[in-house]
């Protein structure tokens, strides 16, 4: 019986740790990768999500060549416009007003580096928000849940009440597509 390879999560996101735990996977180490997340000129949202997940996996794999490295990144877009992590309350308000009453797409890239090989997937989820009142936006911004979240919201909290429709992967919107992650990890020898 062989031992499972060491699993390193290339993310500081507690949500990703929680999601992995739901499927019986616990990282041996958490080692965030610090890379430039600025979109390249002409880069589409799904390509950005893939590039960032791959880049994070590669950076951490270079430091831990014998480990299996799991990395992910989430990009929220309205058309070709990226909604990154809101820098402050005013930007969060702008994001929520833009998302109010309309659909947007969430692209989550996931990458696994192991034994010199890298595999990845990008999951697209379509999310529609109800029309948000100024009072709802103000209350959400005051909650602070938006901090550190792509698009200025976290679907797993209060913003879940804004969602009228979701087509795709709920865990991917939270930050880690579980089906794809479990399959990529299994291919690298890590199973629940």
């Amino acid at each position: 019986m062989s031992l499972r390879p060491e699993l390193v999560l290339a993310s500081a996101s507690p949500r990703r740790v929680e999601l992995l735990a739901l499927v019986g996977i616990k990282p041996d180490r958490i080692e965030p990768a610090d890379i430039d997340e600025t979109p390249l000129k002409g880069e589409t949202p799904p390509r950005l999500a893939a590039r960032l997940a791959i880049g994070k996996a590669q950076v951490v794999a270079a430091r831990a060549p014998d480990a299996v490295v799991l990395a992910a990144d989430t990009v929220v877009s309205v058309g070709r416009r990226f909604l990154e992590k809101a820098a402050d309350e005013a930007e969060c308000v702008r994001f929520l007003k833009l998302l109010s009453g309309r659909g947007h797409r969430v692209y989550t890239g996931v990458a696994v580096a192991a034994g010199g090989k890298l595999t990845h997937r990008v999951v697209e989820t379509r999310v529609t928000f109800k029309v948000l009142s100024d009072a709802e936006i103000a209350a959400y911004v005051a909650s602070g849940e938006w901090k550190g979240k792509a698009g200025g919201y976290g679907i797993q909290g209060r913003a879940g009440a804004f969602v009228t429709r979701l087509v795709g992967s709920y865990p991917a919107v939270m930050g880690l597509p579980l089906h794809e992650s479990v399959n990529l990890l299994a291919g690298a020898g890590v199973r629940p």
Side-chain angles (χ1 to χ4, degrees), residues 109-175:
V110 60
V112 171
K117 296 180 183 175
L118 191 135
T119 54
H120 79 281
R121 299 285 180 275
V122 175
V123 175
E124 175 187 333
T125 304
R126 288 175 282 155
V127 181
T128 304
F129 273 15
K130 70 182 196 121
V131 175
L132 302 173
S133 69
D134 289 344
E136 287 172 314
I137 291 172
Y140 186 74
V141 172
S143 78
E145 284 187 1
W146 57 272
K147 293 178 181 174
K149 295 181 177 74
Y153 75 92
I155 197 168
Q156 69 277 13
R158 296 174 187 211
F162 302 159
V163 178
T164 61
R165 182 179 165 123
L166 184 143
V167 179
S169 170
Y170 178 85
V173 178
M174 284 181 63

Side-chain angles (χ1 to χ4, degrees), residues 3-39:
L3 294 174
R4 173 177 77 76
E6 179 185 32
L7 174 61
V8 178
L9 177 61
S11 173
S13 167
R15 291 171 303 284
R16 291 188 177 117
V17 174
E18 292 166 10
L19 286 165
L20 286 171
L22 291 175
V23 292
I25 297 174
K26 182 179 180 194
D28 298 297
R29 278 191 292 142
I30 295 173
E31 193 171 327
D34 185 25
I35 66 170
D36 182 2
E37 298 187 16
T38 306

Side-chain angles (χ1 to χ4, degrees), residues 83-104:
L83 300 184
E84 301 176 77
K85 295 173 184 169
D88 54 31
E89 289 183 359
E91 186 168 49
C92 184
V93 168
R94 283 194 302 276
F95 285 178
L96 292 174
K97 285 186 176 191
L98 179 63
L99 297 173
S100 177
R102 66 189 298 185
H104 61 279

